[in-house]
Amino acid sequence: MNKMKKDYEVIIIGGSYAGLSSAMALGRALRSVLIIDAGEPCNRQTPHSHNFITHDGETPGTISVKAKEQVLKYPTVTFLEAKAAQGLKTDAGFEIITDANETFSAGKLLFATGIKDIMPDIDGFAQCWGISVIHCPYCHGYEVKNMKTAILANGEAAYHYGFLLTQWTKDLTIFTNGKANFTDEQLGKLKKHDISIIETPVTSLNQTNGQLKNIVLANGDIHNFTVMYSRVPFVQHTNIPQQLGCTVDENGFIQTAEMQKTTVAGIYAAGDCTTMMRSVAVAVADGMRAGAFINHEMQAESF
């Protein structure tokens, strides 16, 4: 096996949709690119991806495999299965050190690292996440249209789900998992649309292979639902952007400006780590935009 080179023009951390899309744009621009990927996409349990034309209904893994095959046909792009452990600023650009203690350098960095969802302390929730406990009606709502649907949320998040989901189903129940926190106006709107509110804490979700069967409450009540919407907290997969000085906004996303530039010169970010719009199509668009602009900036600097 040939020894990998250590110096590249661009290092992309994260080899899912945004990272691969950016690598394709850069590969087609004849740039030497290293993709470092730990193989932990947040949608790995999701059975089908939607709202991405030409790929509607395919599994996320199938799309990723095909994308990787196409990207690696460009000879200047290299893919490394590893975890980026540390980032350093150098006079020439940046160094990335992997968990295997390998060091690679580049003039530009792109973080396409996605996010890590934090599961609530509810038995069965993690097994259902992305399968029958879902976060986005644009991604999954059509498949569960007109079904009896639970919402596990409180306050503004629950209200937002309530008014949005009535486009897909009229049979909605909000589980606030504790004392409800709504304004009088919100309560009036929810009542108007016959959206029930249950405050008793949720203790477990009965499920089989990720398919929700029913919701069990702290008082022993059982409610039969086969689909639930919820939005869980998250953390960034890596703190390397912060190590290098990148700003993370109040919502926990890497802050980007026009063309996916972070607050640090030479560092870019794209995909789920930068936006609440979590979809394959958005990540692909972000990645392509970032790749094209990175090449544009490199040309401007060297011309």
Side-chain angles (χ1 to χ4, degrees):
M1 182 171 141
N2 293 330
K3 188 175 181 180
M4 282 185 63
K5 66 181 237 176
K6 298 297 182 179
D7 301 316
Y8 296 83
E9 291 179 290
V10 183
I11 293 176
I12 298 172
I13 302 174
S16 195
Y17 313 105
L20 289 170
S21 178
S22 181
M24 178 174 281
L26 288 161
R28 290 181 58 81
L30 311 178
R31 296 294 183 184
S32 64
V33 178
L34 174 64
I35 306 167
I36 301 174
D37 182 63
E40 298 176 348
C42 64
N43 64 355
R44 56 190 175 272
Q45 284 192 179
T46 305
H48 301 286
S49 175
H50 294 282
N51 260 337
F52 183 19
I53 56 173
T54 74
H55 293 285
D56 192 51
E58 287 191 21
T59 65
T62 298
I63 299 171
S64 185
V65 167
K66 186 175 182 179
K68 183 178 175 182
E69 289 174 351
Q70 292 180 345
V71 168
L72 293 182
K73 288 180 180 178
Y74 294 94
T76 60
V77 180
T78 301
F79 193 101
L80 175 66
E81 293 183 9
K83 184 175 182 178
Q86 186 179 1
L88 301 171
K89 184 77 174 71
T90 68
D91 291 340
F94 305 94
E95 287 185 346
I96 295 295
I97 303 168
T98 71
D99 54 353
N101 206 33
E102 293 182 288
T103 300
F104 301 95
S105 63
K108 307 289 184 186
L109 293 182
L110 170 65
F111 289 95
T113 42
I115 55 177
K116 181 179 180 181
D117 294 311
I118 306 301
M119 299 294 107
D121 187 20
I122 296 173
D123 187 44
F125 188 100
Q127 291 87 341
C128 293
W129 183 238
I131 300 171
S132 56
V133 176
I134 53 183
H135 77 285
C136 173
Y138 296 105
C139 297
H140 309 290
Y142 186 86
E143 284 63 43
V144 296
K145 62 185 180 296
N146 300 321
M147 292 175 62
K148 180 182 176 184
T149 299
I151 299 168
L152 181 62
N154 203 350
E156 187 61 37
Y159 179 75
H160 183 265
Y161 268 135
F163 88 76
L164 185 62
L165 292 177
T166 55
Q167 176 63 21
W168 283 271
T169 181
K170 307 302 181 188
D171 193 344
L172 293 166
T173 300
I174 295 173
F175 292 82
T176 57
N177 205 28
K179 183 173 176 57
N181 180 26
F182 298 103
T183 66
D184 290 341
E185 181 182 1
Q186 288 173 336
L187 285 171
K189 285 287 187 79
L190 294 172
K191 183 178 180 180
K192 173 185 173 183
H193 291 278
D194 296 318
I195 299 175
S196 303
I197 298 171
I198 296 176
E199 296 181 304
T200 308
V202 175
T203 57
S204 64
L205 305 182
N206 286 327
Q207 52 83 32
T208 302
N209 296 324
Q211 178 53 60
L212 177 64
K213 303 297 183 184
N214 53 58
I215 299 167
V216 182
L217 305 184
N219 62 4
D221 287 353
I222 296 176
H223 296 264
N224 294 323
F225 286 87
T226 56
V227 61
M228 170 189 281
Y229 283 88
S230 187
R231 186 179 303 151
V232 299
F234 68 89
V235 294
Q236 292 285 333
H237 263 300
T238 176
N239 65 355
I240 296 176
Q242 293 98 306
Q243 287 177 10
L244 295 172
C246 296
T247 299
V248 172
D249 68 22
E250 66 275 11
N251 296 312
F253 297 107
I254 300 173
Q255 184 175 312
T256 57
E258 186 181 9
M259 297 299 181
Q260 309 304 137
K261 295 175 70 172
T262 70
T263 53
V264 175
I267 303 180
Y268 308 78
D272 289 358
C273 63
T274 68
T275 176
M276 67 178 61
M277 292 290 291
R278 295 174 62 174
S279 78
V280 173
V282 171
V284 168
D286 279 358
M288 195 284 164
R289 183 165 48 239
F293 191 70
I294 291 170
N295 179 69
H296 183 274
E297 287 225 311
M298 294 177 75
Q299 278 297 97
E301 291 166 0
S302 64
F303 189 71

